[in-house]
Amino acid sequence: MSGLLVSVAVPVPLYTAFDYRVPDGLVLHPGMRVRLPFGRRELTGVVLRSGVEPDPAAPDGHYRELLQALDPAPLLTDDALALAQWIADYYRHPIGEVVAAMLPVALRSDEPARIRHEPAYALTDAGRAALATLPARSLRLRVLLQQLADQGALLRAAIAAPAAVLRRALDAHWVVETVAAVAAPVPVPATQPALTADQAAAVAALQAAPGFGVHLLHGVTGSGKTEVYLRAIAEALAAGRQVLVLVPEIGLTPQLLQRVRERFGPVAVAGSHSGLSDAERAQVWLRAATGELAIVVGTRSAVLLPLPRLGLVIVDEEHDVSFKQQDGLRYSARDVAVLRAQRAGAPVLLGSATPSLETLQHAVNGRYQWLRLPRRVRQVPPPQLQLLDVRGLHLQDGLSAPLSAAIGRHLADGGQVLLFVNRRGYAPTLLCHDCGWSAQCRHCDSRMTWHRGRGRLICHHCGARQAAPRACPQCQSRQLLALGQGTERVEEALRERFPGARVERFDSDRLRSLRQLDALLRDTRDGLVNILVGTQMLAKGHDFAGLTLVGIVDADQALYSVDFRALERMGQLLTQVAGRAGRADRPGEVLVQTHQPEHPALRRLVTQGYDGLAELLLTERQIAGLPPYAYLAMLRAEARVEADAIGFLQAALAQLPAVDGVQALGPVPAPMERRAGRYRAQLLLQSPDRSSLHRVLKPWTLELDAIPGARGVRWSLDVDPIDLY
DNA sequence: AGCACGCCGACT
DNA sequence: GTCGGCGTGCTC
Ligand SMILES: [Zn+2]
Ligand SMILES: [Zn+2]
């Protein structure tokens, strides 16, 4: 037995790998899973390195022996392990947890990694004979046998016959189940539609720049970004490469997945909300690892899939905040995608109508190739945003008279109307008119939202709920006022005001499942719904051909926000929602209710669109020293005792290595200090360049666990945070 | 994070 | 007398 050790990534929140002795006769390679003793526990880890020299100073018996190898060959490639190491370093997260995050849940235990090939069905000789002799009346059986005779072995999904017919054929031994791998259907594009001039230029630019490169596909809604994606995919497939398509949410925007399927046939889905079981996810993971899957469409976590032949990455709606994980390993799937593509020598296509300022900045300075699709495919003029100054106007349930009148006008003309409201529930505040009491959450520094339909008060920050009182709990007055408005209230008001119209609410309260959403979307497309009231849910993807008016009930929230990204998000959201309006015969009208019609950001958005706003915001960010002109890291802490959170951060600040240019801001209490019964505080680091920031973070994070009192404090470090609270 | 050990308060 | 509270130490 050699005296050399292996270094193993163990799934525990510790910033180190652990070295083990190898049992006699076992040959281990990096990437193989192993069972190991860990303290008093037994865990599954992944070998990172073999041939590790033992520390001569280590006492006898320091190194324990691995129990067994779980895989005959590495499950993770060297490339995957290097990616894990990069992610662990960059996001300052324990290597064992990063490696675990790269594996599907089913393979984090001691389960064997076996591909279960979907059975295929093949015609037997007896079946071939039967085909000649079967009576004509056994039509469906004949069709089945004929299909197999013509096309060879087929997967179940490719067989047209119903289950009962296939069963009969199997029972008669005319057809057999076979495990022989059916040649994966080579996705051959069906006929491709002609490109517009803009699309053709974008496709040509992509073709002219093979290999790694980041391309921003900046196209207005309806400009045909998807067709450019599909051409790029076809190109990568033709070169025998795998394609990864990242989308914000599979469920809410099935259009892209559907278009890819229409063009290329079966496509694997991955990530959250993919509707797959743990076992199915493991199968997708394993088949991606073999290179068998040509195209994978997935959400954030799909960027961690093993893709040995990766030849193209597409990030659709690249500005979407859901690409950044908001807990645990806080990685940005968009940024990891760029890194992966670089390592694979593949192009990345970042698509958006409203690119993030980070991406836009790279395009401006030429690091990213800027591909623009400024025109809609169908020659519909883009909708024009119009500010509706509501100062001094009476607002009934949040709606001004001019907005109501516009709604009536559009309905009378047979148009559909969309009202965008950024809040769920009936009203965000319930206030006693007599004594000033308002419904506060017991666990948070926040008011509870009145959900009138359900007769409840619900805290949107911690989920706490209670029955809505009929009288003031403090003074028994019945004068309870609903302040502000959510979707429920606007919906109700519109029902009263337009009794003949069908009003439907689109939010997560009303639509508990995708089926319900689909049903309502279908009714909307069929013209059965006249007014749509909804949250962000309506901002994405869906095209409503009959929609002629979009109303933004309250654009002001973002204008008062302390979050430095609030205006960027407002611009993205309003532009997206506005993009829903307009139909073939006339441009859409978009009315934005505001109390601040002179606000420079709002003015810029209206007069010059998102691109103009982005230019303004970039200038402001540069002056303020904020991303993309600076790099941030946020250390957050929360504790049951108020002083503990701040105390921990003060201790952390005292440990902060001094590096030129890196500034600490704080610690300060979080904007909402108490949430879900815990007190929260934060310490922000700001740096003019990435490398200085990381020179600080690397030694610093190693010290944080050792801070006295760190035990009772939950803390996390967020590199490149998107929310500053 | 687990899971131990360890040393002080109110129970059968 | 012990059952159990959570402080703190460690995991190759
Ligand atoms: Zn009262
Ligand atoms: Zn709450």
Side-chain angles (χ1 to χ4, degrees), chain A residues 33 46 153 180 210-211 274 289 301 306 322 349 370 408 437 512 562 656 676 680:
Chain A
R33 292 176 307 152
V46 174
S274 56
S301 61
S322 74
L349 207 40
W370 200 346
W437 169 89
R512 308 288 295 170
V562 291
L656 190 73
R680 310 178 309 144

Side-chain angles (χ1 to χ4, degrees), chain A residues 441 444 459 462:
Chain A
C441 176
C444 308
C459 173
C462 75

Side-chain angles (χ1 to χ4, degrees), chain A residues 27-208:
Chain A
V27 180
L28 293 175
H29 300 288
M32 286 165 66
R33 292 176 307 152
V34 288
R35 285 299 275 181
L36 47 86
F38 194 77
R40 235 135 290 215
R41 296 182 284 167
E42 193 185 309
L43 297 173
T44 296
V46 174
V47 176
L48 294 175
R49 281 182 308 132
S50 54
V52 174
E53 293 283 352
D55 180 353
D60 242 28
H62 175 70
Y63 298 108
R64 297 171 76 182
E65 192 165 85
L66 292 174
L67 301 170
Q68 59 166 317
L70 293 172
D71 306 308
L75 203 53
L76 290 172
T77 60
D78 289 348
D79 186 54
L81 292 175
L83 178 67
Q85 192 62 60
W86 185 91
I87 291 173
D89 286 342
Y90 187 83
Y91 292 106
R92 303 308 309 153
H93 202 78
I95 181 66
E97 292 196 333
V98 174
V99 170
M102 294 186 86
L103 293 172
V105 171
L107 295 179
R108 292 177 201 170
S109 60
D110 53 358
E111 287 293 305
R114 223 172 280 129
I115 294 192
R116 295 193 348 268
H117 281 286
E118 200 186 329
Y121 298 90
L123 200 61
T124 61
D125 287 342
R128 207 170 299 276
L131 188 53
T133 57
L134 262 178
R137 63 190 155 78
S138 304
L139 179 63
R140 298 207 287 190
L141 210 42
R142 287 184 63 92
V143 169
L144 167 66
L145 300 184
Q146 191 62 55
Q147 189 187 7
L148 294 175
D150 292 344
Q151 299 173 32
L154 290 175
L155 298 174
R156 179 67 188 93
I159 293 173
V165 175
L166 181 59
R167 188 74 259 156
R168 267 196 63 196
L170 285 164
D171 289 345
H173 301 290
W174 293 335
V175 171
V176 285
E177 230 180 75
T178 157
V179 287
V182 176
V186 176
V188 179
T191 48
Q192 309 185 109
L195 298 175
T196 65
D198 293 334
Q199 286 171 331
V203 169
L206 285 172
Q207 284 169 335

Side-chain angles (χ1 to χ4, degrees), chain A residues 431-438 471-480:
Chain A
L431 176 80
C432 174
H433 192 46
D434 286 331
C435 76
W437 169 89
S438 70
C472 172
Q474 199 166 276
C475 76
Q476 299 358 294
S477 163
R478 301 205 148 246
Q479 296 285 306
L480 294 180

Side-chain angles (χ1 to χ4, degrees), chain A residues 102-387:
Chain A
M102 294 186 86
L103 293 172
V105 171
L107 295 179
R108 292 177 201 170
S109 60
D110 53 358
E111 287 293 305
R114 223 172 280 129
I115 294 192
R116 295 193 348 268
H117 281 286
E118 200 186 329
Y121 298 90
L123 200 61
T124 61
D125 287 342
R128 207 170 299 276
L131 188 53
T133 57
L134 262 178
R137 63 190 155 78
S138 304
L139 179 63
R140 298 207 287 190
L141 210 42
R142 287 184 63 92
V143 169
L144 167 66
L145 300 184
Q146 191 62 55
Q147 189 187 7
L148 294 175
D150 292 344
Q151 299 173 32
L154 290 175
L155 298 174
R156 179 67 188 93
I159 293 173
V165 175
L166 181 59
R167 188 74 259 156
R168 267 196 63 196
L170 285 164
D171 289 345
H173 301 290
W174 293 335
V175 171
V176 285
E177 230 180 75
T178 157
V179 287
V182 176
V186 176
V188 179
T191 48
Q192 309 185 109
L195 298 175
T196 65
D198 293 334
Q199 286 171 331
V203 169
L206 285 172
Q207 284 169 335
F212 172 69
V214 187
H215 310 273
L216 166 59
L217 186 60
H218 183 182
V220 299
T221 309
S223 61
K225 289 189 288 293
T226 304
E227 187 55 38
V228 177
Y229 295 159
L230 296 175
R231 297 299 179 107
I233 292 172
E235 197 103 342
L237 294 178
R241 311 282 293 265
Q242 286 173 294
V243 176
L244 173 64
V245 183
L246 296 178
V247 295
E249 277 150 284
I250 291 176
L252 289 183
T253 56
Q255 296 89 341
L256 178 55
L257 178 60
Q258 193 186 324
R259 295 269 309 268
V260 175
R261 281 190 166 142
E262 279 166 14
R263 186 70 56 90
F264 301 105
V267 164
V269 292
S272 55
H273 304 111
S274 56
L276 301 182
S277 67
D278 281 353
E280 288 167 327
R281 284 166 204 261
Q283 290 303 306
V284 168
W285 192 93
L286 289 166
R287 293 170 64 214
T290 62
E292 180 186 333
L293 294 182
I295 307 175
V296 181
V297 176
T299 51
R300 180 178 60 230
S301 61
V303 80
L304 302 178
L305 283 173
L307 296 160
R309 293 189 287 118
L310 185 62
L312 171 68
V313 185
I314 292 170
V315 184
D316 188 37
E317 307 287 354
E318 68 84 30
H319 63 279
D320 198 282
V321 294
S322 74
F323 287 124
K324 178 87 159 88
Q325 175 129 339
Q326 297 285 22
D327 59 311
L329 172 55
R330 305 172 106 95
Y331 65 103
S332 158
R334 184 237 285 145
D335 296 349
V336 172
V338 171
L339 178 87
R340 283 203 73 169
Q342 183 172 27
R343 299 175 58 89
V348 193
L349 207 40
L350 304 179
S352 179
T354 54
S356 65
L357 296 187
E358 278 81 356
T359 296
L360 217 40
Q361 170 61 4
H362 283 313
V364 169
N365 68 24
R367 286 187 45 153
Y368 291 1
Q369 181 170 224
W370 200 346
L371 307 172
R372 277 180 256 216
L373 305 177
R375 284 167 282 267
R376 287 182 160 192
V377 173
R378 287 174 301 137
Q379 297 295 319
V380 186
Q384 188 60 45
L385 287 177
Q386 237 177 290
L387 294 185

